């Protein structure tokens, strides 16, 4: 089977590395000027050209059996235009839902799954009204773009709102969200295959700094024991109602016995990198298995597993300082705060693992 991936970054790399082992071949669709260093040696790279016809693109990609994505900001019309030629997983409509924060939250609420309270705005007046209706403190975010905390304004009081208003581009669609005072930020990696089989990994606990994921640990240590079942139920509902195929990642805020959805990502996710350890089938392998209609693999780890991101440093073997550690390099040049690799770690002793993660994150 031949799989084409839209994108040529580290997520495409890790999917292809798993697929190669199972005898699949790959090609990658890169944006003009996008570096393909992460997927070097793993398949041919096609650079997207404006006005390229669907059939031409299909042929350039080596006539794939299935096309998938490593990012959510892709041209879903382009994806849909390839539907007559090959399977497209996840389907373009599901990807489109995740591309717009307003659409995404409305969709999730329509399934009876809670999110932060929100309102949409597309002018300065509408923004003022929305802020008034939701009530300060709020977070204003652009609906269409922005990741890792970019394109967001946290507003605590009226003075701050007045001060920040000129810096907010009100010609763009905006979402005004109530600030949630959450206990933890967690995520769930879920997967559904062509045949409709679903599987969900345990809840992962995530630690961010300046909007960037620093470390994850799974299973999350949660006071409320009903949250695992709630996460599984929410993920399965979302997967099924979108007729979704592949890995879907869901970020949640934990508030008491509630999980509020913050974001959906129609792809493998940084907070799921730990699944390469812990004796489970990794999110990358399960994504490939799902889109190629294979049986899904195990998702419940035998021990505690963690991941620490390597940001902006040279990835060298001397980073492997312990036996319970795995090094993953993305083959990238270091640049400040750039994700260049990660370490996975595991231990039966939770406290020791947490201490090890804290030390590594600090370093
Ligand atoms: P996002 O781009 O939506 O993932 O937001 C980036 C980060 O901002 C999240 O990881 C949270 O730490 C924080 N954040 C986003 N939305 C909210 C919210 N409604 N309430 C509190 N914190 C938020």
């Amino acid at each position: 089977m031949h799989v084409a991936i839209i994108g040529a970054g580290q997520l495409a790399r890790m999917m292809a590395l798993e697929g190669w082992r199972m005898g699949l071949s790959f090609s990658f669709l890169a944006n003009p000027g996008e570096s393909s260093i992460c997927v070097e040696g793993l398949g041919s790279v096609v650079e997207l050209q404006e006005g390229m016809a669907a059939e031409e693109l299909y042929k350039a990609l080596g006539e794939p059996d299935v096309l998938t994505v490593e990012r959510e900001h892709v041209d879903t019309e382009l994806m849909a235009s390839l539907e007559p030629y090959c399977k497209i997983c996840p389907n373009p409509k599901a990807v489109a839902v995740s591309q717009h924060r307003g659409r995404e939250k409305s969709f999730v609420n329509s399934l009876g799954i809670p999110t932060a309270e929100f309102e949409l705005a597309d002018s300065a007046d509408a923004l003022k009204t929305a802020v008034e209706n939701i009530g300060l403190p709020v977070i204003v975010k652009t609906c269409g773009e922005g990741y890792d905390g970019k394109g967001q304004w946290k507003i605590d009081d009226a003075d701050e709102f007045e001060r920040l208003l000129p810096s907010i581009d009100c010609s763009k669609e905006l979402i005004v969200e109530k600030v949630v005072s959450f206990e933890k930020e967690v995520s769930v990696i879920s997967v559904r295959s062509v045949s409709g089989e679903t599987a969900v990994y345990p809840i992962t606990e995530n630690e961010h700094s300046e909007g960037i994921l620093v470390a994850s640990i799974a299973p999350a240590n949660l006071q409320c024991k009903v949250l695992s079942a709630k996460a599984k139920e929410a993920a399965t509902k979302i997967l099924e109602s979108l007729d979704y195929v592949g890995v879907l990642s869901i970020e949640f805020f934990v508030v008491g016995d509630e999980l509020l959805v913050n974001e959906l990502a129609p792809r493998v996710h940084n907070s799921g990198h730990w699944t390469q350890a812990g004796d489970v089938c990794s999110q990358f392998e399960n994504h490939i298995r799902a889109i190629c209609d294979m049986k899904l693999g195990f998702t419940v780890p035998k021990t505690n597993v963690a991941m620490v991101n390597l940001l902006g440093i040279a990835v060298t073997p001397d980073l492997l300082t312990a036996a319970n550690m795995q090094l993953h390099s993305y083959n990238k040049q270091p640049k400040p705060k750039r994700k260049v690799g990660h370490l996975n770690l595991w231990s039966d002793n939770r406290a020791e693992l947490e201490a090890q993660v804290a030390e590594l994150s600090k370093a």
Side-chain angles (χ1 to χ4, degrees), residues 183-203:
E183 287 142 48
K184 283 182 177 173
E185 290 194 72
V186 299
S187 57
V188 161
I189 308 296
S190 63
V191 58
R192 182 168 176 269
S193 73
V194 172
S195 307
E197 188 189 359
T198 59
V200 182
Y201 291 88
I203 300 178

Side-chain angles (χ1 to χ4, degrees), residues 205-281:
E205 205 170 318
N206 300 314
E207 187 200 318
H208 299 89
S209 166
E210 297 172 34
I212 299 174
L213 183 71
V214 174
S216 304
I217 190 158
N221 187 7
L222 299 168
Q223 298 294 327
C224 178
K225 298 300 166 209
V226 298
L227 293 179
S228 279
K230 281 195 174 176
K232 204 166 176 176
E233 195 188 320
T236 310
K237 247 191 206 170
I238 296 171
L239 287 170
E240 284 175 355
S241 64
L242 290 172
D243 194 18
Y244 193 95
V245 174
V247 162
L248 172 79
S249 310
I250 313 171
E251 293 183 60
F252 296 96
F253 297 135
V254 178
V255 183
D257 64 354
E258 287 281 20
L259 283 174
L260 309 186
V261 169
N262 180 40
E263 234 179 349
L264 307 179
R267 54 172 174 81
V268 290
H269 196 257
N270 195 170
S271 70
H273 290 1
W274 65 263
T275 62
Q276 292 163 317
D279 251 345
V280 288
C281 178

Side-chain angles (χ1 to χ4, degrees), residues 45-315:
V45 179
V46 176
E47 192 165 289
L48 184 63
Q49 286 158 29
E50 215 172 307
M52 215 172 182
E55 189 176 358
E56 192 190 349
L57 181 55
Y58 169 68
K59 289 202 167 135
L61 287 169
E63 305 192 359
D65 300 286
V66 53
L67 175 97
T68 190
V69 299
E70 69 147 7
R71 55 176 172 242
E72 55 261 55
H73 290 289
V74 295
D75 179 348
T76 51
E77 280 177 24
L78 178 82
M79 286 174 80
S81 74
L82 287 162
E83 271 170 337
Y85 302 97
C86 60
K87 228 167 356 126
I88 312 289
C89 304
N91 67 70
K93 282 190 189 138
V95 175
V97 167
S98 74
Q99 288 177 337
H100 186 278
R101 291 180 193 274
R103 248 189 335 251
E104 180 175 80
K105 288 201 163 67
S106 302
F107 163 73
V108 166
N109 286 166
S110 77
L111 299 177
I113 302 166
T115 60
E117 201 187 324
F118 71 94
E119 263 193 39
L120 302 179
D122 56 4
S123 68
D125 283 343
L127 177 61
K128 284 179 199 160
T129 308
V131 170
E132 219 171 276
N133 291 343
I134 298 291
L136 292 163
V138 298
I139 297 193
V140 179
K141 305 176 185 174
T142 49
C143 279
E145 301 140 30
Y147 60 94
D148 285 350
K150 294 186 182 90
Q152 300 192 4
W153 300 264
K154 183 162 181 286
I155 302 166
D156 287 316
D157 54 46
D159 286 347
E160 196 171 23
F161 187 31
E162 207 167 297
R163 195 161 42 77
L164 285 177
L165 191 55
S167 64
I168 302 176
D169 182 358
C170 296
S171 67
K172 292 209 167 108
E173 276 188 291
L174 300 169
I175 184 167
V176 179
E177 293 179 18
K178 184 89 188 156
V179 168
V180 176
S181 68
F182 53 79
E183 287 142 48
K184 283 182 177 173
E185 290 194 72
V186 299
S187 57
V188 161
I189 308 296
S190 63
V191 58
R192 182 168 176 269
S193 73
V194 172
S195 307
E197 188 189 359
T198 59
V200 182
Y201 291 88
I203 300 178
T204 302
E205 205 170 318
N206 300 314
E207 187 200 318
H208 299 89
S209 166
E210 297 172 34
I212 299 174
L213 183 71
V214 174
S216 304
I217 190 158
N221 187 7
L222 299 168
Q223 298 294 327
C224 178
K225 298 300 166 209
V226 298
L227 293 179
S228 279
K230 281 195 174 176
K232 204 166 176 176
E233 195 188 320
T236 310
K237 247 191 206 170
I238 296 171
L239 287 170
E240 284 175 355
S241 64
L242 290 172
D243 194 18
Y244 193 95
V245 174
V247 162
L248 172 79
S249 310
I250 313 171
E251 293 183 60
F252 296 96
F253 297 135
V254 178
V255 183
D257 64 354
E258 287 281 20
L259 283 174
L260 309 186
V261 169
N262 180 40
E263 234 179 349
L264 307 179
R267 54 172 174 81
V268 290
H269 196 257
N270 195 170
S271 70
H273 290 1
W274 65 263
T275 62
Q276 292 163 317
D279 251 345
V280 288
C281 178
S282 80
Q283 60 167 350
F284 305 101
E285 181 175 339
N286 256 337
H287 181 74
I288 298 294
R289 285 162 77 139
I291 66 174
C292 295
D293 203 16
M294 300 179 202
K295 175 106 195 79
L296 296 180
F298 287 123
T299 53
V300 181
K302 297 213 172 91
T303 186
N304 303 289
V305 196
M307 187 255 2
V308 177
N309 265 336
L310 300 171
L311 301 169
I313 57 169
V315 181

